[in-house]
Amino acid sequence: MVNEQGVEVAATDILDKCSEARVFAFDGKMGAGKTTFIKCLCEAMGTEDVVNSPTFAIVNVYEINANRHPDEFRGRPAGYSLEAKEEVYHFDCYRIKDLREAMDMGTEEYLYSGNYCFIEWAEMIEPLLPEDTVWVKIEVEENGERSLSFDA
């Protein structure tokens, strides 16, 4: 169970347990807290950008500071700066009509960029998702708390 106080801990936990993953698909009903959880993930990664739902834009781009997670940046090419900014792509696929629309907007380029992709309503583009996509399920319990599970 994840309550409001535990969401930051859960965000850090999922990033630690899925440290190799870059694409995360979020499954939950409208209002389950997908955007709120993604906001916590981005904040844990050091973004200073405003994180909100990209409902009409379909994808928002946030910068994260690479030096927030130095272990992830071992083995980078010589001269790679830990001060470098990396991008996180936050999708809301609720309004995607079909796969062709997703492909036309370059979704595959985002998904295979090596950057983090957090996708709400990912079932709309499921055939495009990489095999190693981490599925995160958020359910609202009767008492209002959230139940969070993921496959890692």
Side-chain angles (χ1 to χ4, degrees):
M1 294 292 211
V2 178
N3 59 24
E4 287 182 26
Q5 294 77 31
V7 74
E8 291 87 5
V9 172
T12 302
D13 189 46
I14 196 171
L15 289 172
D16 288 343
K17 288 182 177 165
C18 302
S19 62
E20 299 295 317
R22 290 297 175 265
V23 179
F24 294 79
F26 293 83
D27 179 25
K29 293 182 179 180
M30 188 82 66
K34 296 180 295 292
T35 301
T36 299
F37 191 67
I38 291 169
K39 179 179 180 181
C40 288
L41 288 168
C42 290
E43 288 173 354
M45 297 169 77
T47 191
E48 295 178 7
D49 295 335
V50 174
V51 177
N52 54 31
S53 178
T55 301
F56 294 102
I58 310 256
V59 64
N60 286 345
V61 180
Y62 314 119
E63 284 188 348
I64 58 170
N65 222 342
N67 63 2
R68 291 289 293 215
H69 299 284
D71 290 344
E72 293 181 19
F73 299 95
R74 289 188 186 137
R76 296 288 175 131
Y80 184 83
S81 169
L82 285 181
E83 297 302 317
K85 298 284 185 181
E86 295 212 356
E87 293 179 327
V88 171
Y89 305 123
H90 177 191
F91 291 82
D92 184 335
C93 296
Y94 185 76
R95 298 193 186 287
I96 296 279
K97 294 178 190 82
D98 55 37
L99 285 179
R100 174 60 46 202
E101 181 181 356
M103 291 170 60
D104 287 347
M105 64 175 266
T107 299
E108 290 175 301
E109 290 176 37
Y110 291 110
L111 296 174
Y112 294 92
S113 68
N115 289 318
Y116 284 92
C117 295
F118 298 138
I119 309 162
E120 299 182 47
W121 304 102
E123 63 273 13
M124 305 299 282
I125 62 165
E126 190 169 352
L128 301 178
L129 298 176
E131 267 186 43
D132 60 349
T133 297
V134 174
W135 284 86
V136 180
K137 184 168 184 67
I138 302 173
E139 295 181 281
V140 181
E141 304 297 329
E142 286 185 25
N143 63 4
E145 289 188 346
R146 274 40 176 185
S147 173
L148 186 133
S149 61
F150 60 93
D151 64 351

